[in-house]
Amino acid sequence: QVQLVESGGGSAQAGGSLNLSCAAFGYSYASYCMAWFRQPPGKEREGVATIASDGTPRYADSVKGRFTASQDNDKNTLYLQMNSLKAEDTAMYYCGADHGDGGGPPEFDGLTECEYNYWGQGTQVTVSS
């Protein structure tokens, strides 16, 4: 029904940068909650960054000051600029969306009250120290 496609992952040295993109197809992401999550190896998925309904970006403490979320409504795309990368940023990064029911069980970003039900395939970020 809806499709979320992440891109931009790859390998980087500690202190480097990557820019991730999440394109939403089948609906306007601006009409729903949308956020970046990540899942380190062997750990559970966690919220990283989102843009609240009032346009204010919100970030997990672990990435605050290093990552920047932005959006392009015309392209229906959410971005995550990651700077000053650390080895602990290594994870599969996912785009999540709250799009009513019909998706998976709800998860929470810890930054808003949104419940996320739809997910992209993920894009791998590997940071070497």
Side-chain angles (χ1 to χ4, degrees), residues 56-113:
T56 302
R58 297 182 182 273
Y59 305 97
D61 289 341
S62 58
V63 307
K64 194 172 299 181
R66 300 187 298 118
F67 292 7
T68 303
S70 60
Q71 59 191 16
D72 186 330
N73 290 330
D74 291 338
K75 297 181 179 179
N76 218 30
T77 299
L78 182 69
Y79 302 96
L80 186 66
Q81 178 66 50
M82 305 187 296
N83 298 322
S84 302
L85 284 165
K86 305 175 180 180
E88 60 216 58
D89 295 319
T90 295
M92 185 72 74
Y93 282 71
Y94 295 92
C95 183
D98 177 354
H99 189 61
D101 289 323
E107 297 182 28
F108 307 92
D109 56 21
L111 308 170
T112 69
E113 296 181 356

Side-chain angles (χ1 to χ4, degrees), residues 10-29:
S11 299
Q13 297 288 329
S17 299
L18 289 171
N19 191 10
L20 308 184
S21 300
C22 173
F25 301 90
Y27 76 102
S28 174
Y29 86 92

Side-chain angles (χ1 to χ4, degrees), residues 1-2 4 27 95-104 116-120:
Q1 180 67 266
V2 301
L4 304 172
Y27 76 102
C95 183
D98 177 354
H99 189 61
D101 289 323
Y116 297 86
N117 305 97
Y118 291 87
W119 306 94

